[in-house]
Each structure stands twice: as C-alpha cells, then as structure tokens.
Amino acid sequence: MRFATDRVCIIMMSAVGDTVHVLPVLHSLKRANPAMHVTWVLQPGPAMLVRGHHLVDEIILFDRSLGVRGFLAVRDQLRARRFDLVLDLQVYLKANIIASFTRAPVKLGFDFSRARDLNWLFTTHRIPPHAMQHVQDQYLEFCDYLGAPVTPVTWGLGPWNEAELAWQRDFYSRIDRPAVPIVVATSKPQKDWLPERWAEVCDALHGDFGLQPVLVGGRSPREVAAEKVIMARARHAPLTALGNGGLRGLVGIFSGASLVLSLDTGPLHICVALNRPVVSLLGFSNPKRVGPYRKFRELMIDAYGDPGEDYPVSMENRPDRMSRITVRDVLEKIQLWRTNYAAGRPA
C-alpha cells in the first residue's frame, strides 16, 4: 500500500447507490490490509443498509436534518480519533466540511477536474486525472492509486444472518409464483416512469409470464401516489411491500426474487451487488456512468440516448425522456430475461 492504512476513515454519506459502490472499495482495501480498522461517516438512511457488514468496523452518523448541530456532533466524534488515511469520496460541500474535522496525514480526494465545491482545499493528496467512467470504476481508482487489488469486485451485501433469512422466508411464504419486485419511484420525478404503464406491466407479468409482481420501495408521497394508481388500474392487483423491512428487507426481497424491474435509483445497484437479474429503465442520467455495473446491460432500457447515438460518459442529465419508454419496451426485456436467465443460465 502506498500509505499506512491501519486506521481509515471513509467519507461517503448520502445516496444508497453510492453506498453500494463503496463496498468494493472496502473489500479491496481489506484484501490489502486485513487488520485495517474502517470508520465510515454515513447518513442514517444508507447506514441502515451496511450496518452489520463484516468489513465495516464503525459507523459515525451524520444527521443532516439537525443542521449545524449535526455537523458539530460529527466533529466531536471525529476529533476524538486519529486516522492514517481519509478517503473523501464525496465532493460536495457537506463532505468537505466533514473532511476538515478529520485528523490524518493523508486525505485522499479526486483530481482537480472532477472535484467540486473546492474539494481540493480539503485534501492533501489526489488521485490522477482520468476520463469520466462508471461511478463504480471511479471509486476503484482510489484503490488503484493506493496499490490495493481491485479484483474481484465484491459487495458482500447479504442477507447476513439467520434473522434476515428468517424474515425473507416469512416474506416469500405468502407468494406462490416467482416474484418480480418493481421499484415504482425514485427521489427525482425526472427518473420516474408513468404509474399507469407500471400497471400494464403488472398485468402482463401476472397473465402472460406467470409471475408475481411486488411493488417495493419506501412510503414517500410519490411512491404512495404511484402505488395508488397502479393498484387502481391493474386488473390483477400486485402485492405491495412499500416500506416493508427497510433497506435490509429490500436486500432480502431482491435476493429471493427471480427478476427485478428498477428505475435509476439505489435499489438498481443493490440488485447488481446481489447478482439478481434486473430490467433497468434509464432516461434522465447517463447509463454509461450510473447504469448496472458490468451485468445485465442487455436488460437495460436506454431512453437517455437517441437512436444510434454513441454518447460519451458524462454527468449531463437529459430531462423528459422517461416517457419515451413504452410498455412494449419493458415486456421485450422481460422476454429476453426469460430466454437468457429464467431457464437456469448463469447471471
């Protein structure tokens, strides 16, 4: 390893998808130094997903809803610790402030071209410049720089213990068909698909494919609104599990599913980590940067690019594209899944 790494702090606090992408970084670092002690600064939501992971030694919660008090609480905890290395994987101002609270000889961040919010002022070292690539590979650049092995890319997301397996068995005891969880909404309206089209897909899953659609996610106002439309319009009402079991429950549901249908959101990356086939619907964000990582790309529906367009990897968002995706597009991908995966072929 390039630096001492006995005590490492990781700063990546917010999005569930990014939290999933950090897990291969943890595996890489601990392959290089199994005795490493890892402290991870996380917000309460994504912390639910990784609390109990065998490679996460300590989680320090940053509660953004507390405002200044949330920053001060994290400051007090971090100043009581000394690290060999800080990985600043998040380049927003709030992460920069958190990085300033840490005590370490090496604070590693992104190169100048990719850092934002004056991130370079809060780091001592930077990874080399690199062309934009998938977020997962971008995080693994930190491991390359440190000299830690990046293969195999491993997540170890679970289920982890008998309690989680028992929860999963109880959940699936009510279902007598192969289950297809559907992620009905996201945190950004521009990433969502029309709920009335989800209703048509649910009917096709039940009637044409002999599968059981299951609505999954949280119970945010938009998710509940989508659930209401889907339940009212579908001839064969799907099961609904919105808010059931939290993020760890979602891991159990996905790991027992035959197929998942997901929008561009954290659960998509949970599916990839669990090696569960997933039909992904993307139109707002660049699929080459945030799409399914190295798996199930043939099941992805790309409404971001125009027909025949070889667009570059970028952070550019393209609004008002999700409505381009038709019910037929989704059903064709489900049929492709049935041909390529449902017969027991390896994912």
Side-chain angles (χ1 to χ4, degrees), residues 16-17 20-21 23 49 136 155-158 172 179-183 214 216 247 249-281 291-296 299 341 347:
V16 170
V20 174
H21 293 322
L23 292 176
L49 180 65
Q136 182 66 81
W155 292 267
L157 198 51
Y172 276 104
V180 181
I182 300 173
V183 180
V214 182
V216 297
L247 286 171
L250 197 61
V251 168
I253 294 171
F254 284 171
S255 66
S258 296
L259 171 69
V260 179
L261 310 183
S262 181
L263 301 165
D264 171 21
T265 186
L268 166 62
H269 305 295
I270 293 176
C271 289
V272 173
L274 295 171
N275 203 31
R276 285 292 83 205
V278 55
V279 172
S280 51
L281 289 67
Y293 181 68
R294 296 187 181 178
K295 298 177 184 178
F296 315 124
L299 299 180
Y341 297 96

Side-chain angles (χ1 to χ4, degrees), residues 171-305:
F171 179 87
Y172 276 104
S173 67
R174 300 168 288 163
I175 301 175
D176 59 3
R177 292 177 170 213
V180 181
I182 300 173
V183 180
V184 298
T186 74
S187 62
K188 292 183 174 63
Q190 286 283 357
K191 295 183 178 181
D192 290 352
W193 198 43
L194 285 73
E196 55 268 29
R197 295 184 188 177
W198 277 133
E200 291 185 55
V201 169
C202 286
D203 284 335
L205 286 169
H206 186 279
D208 300 334
F209 291 93
L211 303 169
Q212 178 60 62
V214 182
L215 309 185
V216 297
R219 295 204 64 82
S220 68
R222 279 210 330 284
E223 288 168 306
V224 171
E227 174 194 48
K228 184 177 180 180
V229 172
I230 294 167
M231 300 298 282
R233 292 194 174 227
R235 296 189 306 275
H236 300 283
L239 296 179
T240 181
L242 293 188
N244 194 347
L247 286 171
R248 293 307 306 166
L250 197 61
V251 168
I253 294 171
F254 284 171
S255 66
S258 296
L259 171 69
V260 179
L261 310 183
S262 181
L263 301 165
D264 171 21
T265 186
L268 166 62
H269 305 295
I270 293 176
C271 289
V272 173
L274 295 171
N275 203 31
R276 285 292 83 205
V278 55
V279 172
S280 51
L281 289 67
L282 292 93
F284 180 67
S285 305
N286 190 305
K288 294 181 180 179
R289 182 174 178 272
V290 300
Y293 181 68
R294 296 187 181 178
K295 298 177 184 178
F296 315 124
R297 301 288 290 193
E298 78 279 18
L299 299 180
M300 184 180 74
I301 301 172
D302 181 356
Y304 180 88

Side-chain angles (χ1 to χ4, degrees), residues 41 60-62 68-81 83 97-103:
V41 184
I60 293 179
L61 290 180
F62 167 58
V68 173
R69 288 188 295 123
F71 283 98
L72 294 178
V74 172
R75 183 197 63 181
D76 292 343
Q77 294 182 74
L78 289 174
R79 286 187 173 176
R81 295 159 173 79
F83 303 103
I97 295 172
I98 298 299
S100 74
F101 299 152
T102 59
R103 297 190 299 164

Side-chain angles (χ1 to χ4, degrees), residues 50 59 69 106 117 151 165 178-179 183 257 267 273 304:
V50 298
I59 291 175
R69 288 188 295 123
V106 179
D117 290 350
T151 56
L165 291 170
V183 180
Y304 180 88

